[in-house]
Amino acid sequence: MKDTPNFKDRALEVELLKFYPFEVSAKRPRLLGYADVKIDEIIIRGIKLFEAKNGGLFIQLPAINQGGKDYPVVEIKSKVLLDRIRRKVVDYYKALENA
């Protein structure tokens, strides 16, 4: 399906539905929790939040593992949208951590 010009110009609304925190382990990268995110009318469940070796936070979109290889369930081509999802999850985690 081709994007219409109006679609690319429109800002998609990103909403964090639920965050499932984990107890932090000493292993790196550390899995900090899972998040469910709503983008307009689409819900993505099982986004993983990790802490990198350098202390930065990053997300991993859902994937399935078959034969020892991960295959993405969801791909987001827009770097802007992916960054907005990451920012929503990371900001929530940081607020939770500081509470």
Side-chain angles (χ1 to χ4, degrees):
M1 182 176 143
K2 271 191 148 181
D3 288 339
T4 61
N6 292 338
F7 180 78
K8 286 192 175 201
D9 295 339
R10 189 170 74 90
L12 296 174
E13 183 180 335
V14 177
E15 177 185 350
L16 182 70
L17 296 177
K18 184 80 175 159
F19 186 80
Y20 307 91
F22 285 161
E23 292 295 321
V24 178
S25 69
K27 192 170 93 171
R28 301 269 183 182
R30 300 190 301 184
L31 178 61
L32 301 175
Y34 285 92
D36 296 340
V37 172
K38 180 180 176 188
I39 305 166
D40 280 348
E41 298 300 318
I42 299 168
I43 296 175
I44 302 174
R45 298 189 191 280
I47 298 172
K48 295 178 185 177
L49 176 65
F50 288 97
E51 180 181 28
K53 291 180 183 180
N54 64 4
L57 300 175
F58 66 96
I59 63 169
Q60 181 182 48
L61 295 174
I64 56 172
N65 187 297
Q66 290 183 338
K69 185 172 179 183
D70 285 336
Y71 295 94
V73 173
V74 176
E75 285 186 67
I76 301 195
K77 299 291 186 180
S78 168
K79 291 188 186 299
V80 173
L81 180 57
L82 188 59
D83 187 55
R84 288 178 48 214
I85 295 168
R86 180 191 162 283
R87 178 70 15 229
K88 189 69 79 168
V89 173
V90 167
D91 287 350
Y92 182 84
Y93 177 77
K94 286 181 178 179
L96 188 67
E97 196 175 49
N98 292 332

